[in-house]
Amino acid sequence: MIRLLSVTAMLPAMLCVATPALAENSKPQPVPHVDRIPAAQDIPYPGTITLNIDATDTRQGIFRVKEVMPVAKPGPMVLLFPKWLPGNHWASGQIEKLGGLKISAGGKPIAWTRDPVDVFAFHITVPEGASAIDIDLQFLSATATNQGRVAMTQNLLSLQWNSMSLYPAGYFTRQIPVQAVVTYPEGWTAASALTATVNGPVYTYEKTNYEVLVDSPVVAGRYYKAFALSPRVTIDAFADTPAQLVAKDAQIDAHKRLVEQAVKLFGAQHYDSYHFLFTISDELGGIGLEHHRSSEDGVKPGYFTEWETSMPSRNLLPHEYVHSWDGKFRRGADLWTPDFRTPMRDSLLWVYEGQTQFWGYVLQARSGIVSKADTLDAYAMIMANLDTSKARQWRPLVDTTNDPIIAARKPKAWTSWQRSEDYYNEGLLIWMEVDSILRKQTKGKKSMDDFARAFFGINDGDWGQVTYTLDDVVTTLNGITPYDWQAFLTTRITETGAPAPISGFAANGYTLVYTETPTAYFKANEKGRTITDLSYSLGMVIGKGAEISAITWDGPAYQAGLTVGRTITAVNGFAYTAEKLKEAITAAKATSAPIELLVKNGERIERFAIDYHGGLRYPRLEKIGTGEGGLDRLLAAK
């Protein structure tokens, strides 16, 4: 017979079961880390490194590298893969694309061990009697965009020396001599700020130092055309097809005026020669990266051939060219580093990038690369974006200078609330306000042109670096006209809860307004990005395939519960098209009924009602009063 016990009857017995007493939880201690990587010193490296790169495998996108590095003595040595790269503002070295690393001396293998903390560092022991070590490796270009930037196609390649070389720890990179040789595919042309002796497909580059080498990338390709802009400045243009390299004389003349206007503005040139390494491609990854004597400038097809609508992409060359002065020559003191291992601190990017953004738009108008009217429309988009951003309530501008390090330039779902790299465009707004103050304080006699010449126009011909602090910026401004610049700039970069600093435009003669019709520039931007931009009405942007790509925090679409990554399938009962949605926005002005959307989220279809009745709204600038204002004078050719 089985006796059934109640839970109540069992409880005392259960409580009597003995359990071991737990005196204390386990508490491990950290394993100490001893940094065995020597700090960089400003002393010469003993010998010249040679790099030999085979860049002919365009089918598989593989760069094959043989590097010979002289060594002075046997024993421990550390080799570094570049990590913190100027212009990128974060630890962007593509070590994940390093492959096949083998190190040897005199034909005998040398074992390497990756540093357990700094994974960009490799420890080796140089054997007795070795005068050099041999390094073999490959750089494996992305072959699809989901792997990163595609650096090699069957018609084009982008060679960045930092991605396909190691360098010795313990030395300033400017103290490490390097000689590079590259073999390109037969029939290709290569361009770089480094001069080379050419023997068929083999380019033997001038001996230089590792800092300059990394700052002198190469673009090569099957289809090439050079456009001389001045005796010292050239566009080296490459494209997927020859048709994309056909440019009208008037288009090249505008680029010649860019050089002319920049030299007039700054009053000095900080290069012996300058090369726009310009690619027009939908296969090679796009890029905009500054260097001292060159820039990597990658755009989609249509730059020359669709000139009437390519104006948003035409800000790229003015921006990157200005960086030769702002960012490469004059650089924030906490951003400059002696090697590519030392972390960069980005606190002054609102000068480095913000003022470059400011001058890039000014020079595009002064040169005619983009018309004054289109430049004003571009300003309107910048102002409207920041004026409607709720993120300024909690995050100051100066903190956005940390964004490249925090976010590594990955997409964000709520940019209007999180902020992104606003030091670019909000920096532009601050410098426009500075221009307006300079004009007011001096009764129109001084402007940002005077700052540019005083701050960036020193040491003509010098293409080293001159660092600065906020105090240096303030001192230069006070030298133009006395004002409490320290308080003004500190407030602008640290304030929260205040409106976007767009008052400089009003002081210079233009105010931001919204109309129901988009500007030509706005439409060109939509076309170039393949989007429908309803940021200032519904508070949303719709991308390819009707997918929502952006939602404005606290805007109508946000309040309706929508988010990014969802796909719109219907508008007020009709299949979605951009035009149907715009028609619904216009029709809602005359009714109290919400705009109804069917939205697909995976396998689920959801209905959303957007209670918005303000009609279509697009930003533009409207002139205040009559006559020539400060902005008119700023954008006029000199």
Side-chain angles (χ1 to χ4, degrees), residues 443-466:
K443 295 181 170 56
K445 294 178 181 178
K446 301 290 184 179
S447 69
M448 277 294 293
D449 284 69
D450 297 280
F451 178 88
R453 184 173 289 266
F455 198 72
F456 301 111
I458 60 175
N459 303 2
D460 186 28
D462 180 359
W463 43 282
Q465 301 91 30
V466 177

Side-chain angles (χ1 to χ4, degrees), residues 180-316:
V181 178
V182 183
T183 302
Y184 300 101
E186 289 282 353
W188 283 34
T189 302
S192 172
L194 286 179
T195 59
T197 302
V198 181
N199 184 11
V202 180
Y203 284 58
T204 302
Y205 290 93
E206 63 180 314
K207 181 179 174 181
T208 187
N209 63 65
Y210 195 67
E211 178 185 74
V212 172
L213 182 79
V214 168
D215 197 42
S216 307
V218 181
V219 170
R222 191 183 308 277
Y223 306 114
Y224 167 75
K225 192 169 184 179
F227 299 99
L229 304 185
S230 80
R232 295 165 69 175
V233 181
T234 304
I235 294 179
D236 293 289
F238 299 83
D240 294 333
T241 64
Q244 289 296 322
L245 297 175
V246 177
K248 296 178 180 178
D249 289 345
Q251 296 168 346
I252 300 305
D253 287 344
H255 290 78
K256 290 179 179 178
R257 291 192 297 270
L258 168 62
V259 175
E260 175 188 334
Q261 290 295 317
V263 174
K264 284 184 177 181
L265 170 66
F266 296 114
Q269 294 176 83
H270 299 297
Y271 46 78
D272 50 355
S273 64
Y274 188 94
H275 294 261
F276 290 102
L277 305 177
F278 187 48
T279 57
I280 307 172
S281 175
D282 55 13
E283 297 178 358
L284 192 76
I287 194 170
L289 184 58
E290 65 271 16
H291 302 282
H292 214 137
R293 300 184 297 155
S294 64
S295 55
E296 297 174 86
D297 311 291
V299 299
K300 294 293 184 182
Y303 184 88
F304 292 124
T305 58
E306 299 173 28
W307 190 257
E308 294 303 314
T309 57
S310 69
M311 56 274 206
S313 67
R314 299 205 298 271
N315 178 255
L316 178 62

Side-chain angles (χ1 to χ4, degrees), residues 371-600:
S371 71
K372 176 185 174 182
D374 286 331
T375 300
L376 292 174
D377 292 340
Y379 283 143
M381 290 180 62
I382 290 170
M383 294 164 69
N385 176 265
L386 289 162
D387 196 42
T388 56
S389 172
K390 299 290 186 179
R392 301 189 79 262
Q393 294 178 1
W394 70 275
R395 191 177 184 191
L397 172 68
V398 71
D399 190 57
T400 73
T401 65
N402 297 307
D403 215 69
I405 299 170
I406 294 169
R409 293 183 166 167
K410 295 176 182 176
K412 295 180 178 181
W414 298 103
T415 303
S416 64
W417 182 240
Q418 295 168 283
R419 278 212 195 230
S420 184
E421 297 179 41
D422 288 354
Y423 52 83
Y424 279 87
N425 284 334
E426 192 166 322
L428 182 158
L429 299 185
I430 290 171
W431 291 111
M432 185 64 72
E433 192 172 4
V434 170
D435 182 77
S436 70
I437 295 170
L438 289 171
R439 292 178 190 276
K440 180 180 178 181
Q441 293 294 110
T442 64
K443 295 181 170 56
K445 294 178 181 178
K446 301 290 184 179
S447 69
M448 277 294 293
D449 284 69
D450 297 280
F451 178 88
R453 184 173 289 266
F455 198 72
F456 301 111
I458 60 175
N459 303 2
D460 186 28
D462 180 359
W463 43 282
Q465 301 91 30
V466 177
T467 60
Y468 63 86
T469 64
L470 175 57
D471 287 343
D472 296 319
V473 175
V474 168
T475 297
T476 303
L477 285 168
N478 275 318
I480 299 168
T481 188
Y483 190 76
D484 195 351
W485 296 110
Q486 182 85 36
F488 168 78
L489 292 173
T490 301
T491 298
R492 284 291 176 266
I493 66 175
T494 61
E495 65 189 357
T496 56
I502 63 176
S503 61
F505 281 87
N508 271 344
Y510 285 84
T511 189
L512 177 66
V513 299
Y514 295 89
T515 65
E516 292 188 343
T517 305
T519 63
Y521 189 95
F522 193 99
K523 289 190 287 187
N525 185 65
E526 286 185 305
K527 178 186 175 184
R529 295 172 57 198
T530 319
I531 61 171
T532 300
D533 189 349
L534 302 170
S535 297
Y536 311 108
S537 52
L538 296 187
M540 64 193 302
V541 178
I542 301 123
K544 294 180 181 178
E547 182 177 295
I548 299 171
S549 59
I551 294 285
T552 301
W553 188 270
D554 208 28
Y558 170 92
Q559 292 176 356
L562 285 157
T563 190
V564 299
R566 311 296 189 253
T567 302
I568 303 175
T569 61
V571 182
N572 288 346
F574 292 90
Y576 169 82
T577 66
E579 288 308 312
K580 282 289 182 187
L581 182 53
K582 291 176 184 177
E583 289 170 5
I585 294 170
T586 300
K589 290 175 64 178
T591 177
S592 60
I595 299 167
E596 292 195 355
L597 303 181
L598 291 183
V599 177
K600 189 172 186 293

